[in-house]
Amino acid sequence: MGTQDTGWRPVRRARTFEDVLAEIERRIVADGLTPGDRLPGERRLAEQLQVSRSSVREALRVLETLGVVSSQAGRGPDAGAVLTSRPGDALTDLLRLHLGLSSLSMREVVETRMMIEQWSAGRAAGHATAEHLALLRAALANMERSGSVEEFVRHDAGFHLAIAEMSGNRLQAATMRALRAAVEGYAVEAVTRLGGTERLMAEHRAIYDAIAAGDREAAVTATTRHLTHTYPEISEP
């Protein structure tokens, strides 16, 4: 069916850098590039793609903002952007922006955290190693010794992030890291509002005990009770 039959006309992207982004993505996949590998320099990329250096520069700037590459100026073998692996940084910045613009509510963020933590706790209960459990015990000890709410929240975050990483899903862990970093101030307010950390410590120990015992159902239940207590708004209709 031709364009005269439908009324549609072929279009071309007005922004060349989008084509550059698409080609870089294709080559990353096709060449099996991994973090630490280097892309060709700006001039070479422009020549190979037959576009202006400004289009390449704009594409690389977008990739750097997204945490995909780390640009490095220079000549010879040190020229060109290096592929990185820090998706959490970009996710954190994006979440903070949307929270600031009120395009995301805190309830939505906390509900998402609940879903991730429930799944992660269940997975961790079936995959915990002696090293994993040692990390959780260290986080618990640091929480117990905390001299301020801010310090408690920092070690609390370490406890929950360790569980997310124990799940074995890197995207889940990166998302969890971004969620925690984006709402750190809100977490401090929540702990302050509760007026003490004794019950919170008991809840964290219950999560640890369930994971250490390999009891997935108990780990999910303990996590749900803890987050519902800390953020009661997520249980409200």
Side-chain angles (χ1 to χ4, degrees):
M1 184 179 294
T3 55
Q4 291 182 347
D5 298 326
T6 65
W8 292 92
R9 295 290 186 273
V11 298
R12 290 180 60 86
R13 290 178 179 169
R15 296 185 292 182
T16 307
F17 83 92
E18 292 180 346
D19 292 321
V20 176
L21 282 171
E23 180 60 15
I24 291 175
E25 178 184 1
R26 186 188 71 80
R27 288 301 300 270
I28 288 174
V29 174
D31 295 347
L33 300 181
T34 59
D37 290 337
R38 191 182 299 277
L39 297 176
E42 182 183 298
R43 176 177 296 182
R44 185 179 174 191
L45 270 177
E47 292 173 350
Q48 292 179 337
L49 300 177
Q50 298 182 11
V51 297
S52 68
R53 292 184 65 175
S54 62
S55 294
V56 171
R57 194 176 302 120
E58 188 171 2
L60 292 175
R61 188 178 300 118
V62 171
L63 292 174
E64 186 170 18
T65 300
L66 293 174
V68 177
V69 303
S70 175
S71 295
Q72 182 174 337
R75 295 182 178 180
D78 292 329
V82 178
L83 294 178
T84 63
S85 180
R86 50 181 183 86
D89 292 352
L91 286 171
T92 299
D93 292 342
L94 186 61
L95 279 172
R96 281 178 175 156
L97 175 62
H98 280 288
L99 285 169
L101 294 173
S102 297
S103 54
L104 282 177
S105 69
M106 190 60 67
R107 175 170 182 146
E108 289 173 311
V109 173
V110 174
E111 285 177 339
T112 300
R113 178 186 165 188
M114 170 74 88
M115 290 184 285
I116 290 176
E117 294 219 41
Q118 288 172 325
W119 185 87
S120 296
R123 289 274 294 182
H127 295 82
T129 65
E131 183 179 359
H132 289 148
L133 295 177
L135 287 174
L136 294 183
R137 288 195 299 272
L140 287 172
N142 287 331
M143 291 164 65
E144 192 77 63
R145 291 193 296 264
S146 295
S148 66
V149 171
E150 290 77 10
E151 186 180 358
F152 180 89
V153 168
R154 185 167 66 253
H155 295 304
D156 170 270
F159 179 88
H160 290 280
L161 290 176
I163 293 174
E165 290 172 356
M166 288 164 61
S167 73
N169 187 306
R170 290 178 297 173
L171 181 56
Q172 288 271 38
T175 303
M176 182 62 188
R177 190 176 298 108
L179 287 170
R180 288 298 306 234
V183 299
E184 182 178 358
Y186 185 70
V188 171
E189 292 177 5
V191 174
T192 302
R193 183 182 68 247
L194 293 173
T197 60
E198 292 82 5
R199 179 174 171 180
L200 292 175
M201 286 302 308
E203 291 168 350
H204 283 88
R205 292 192 190 96
I207 295 172
Y208 169 83
D209 290 341
I211 291 175
D215 190 333
R216 298 187 179 189
E217 184 176 350
V220 173
T221 299
T223 298
T224 303
R225 287 175 177 168
H226 166 56
L227 292 178
T228 302
H229 167 232
T230 307
Y231 305 104
E233 61 271 26
I234 62 178
S235 61
E236 298 173 355

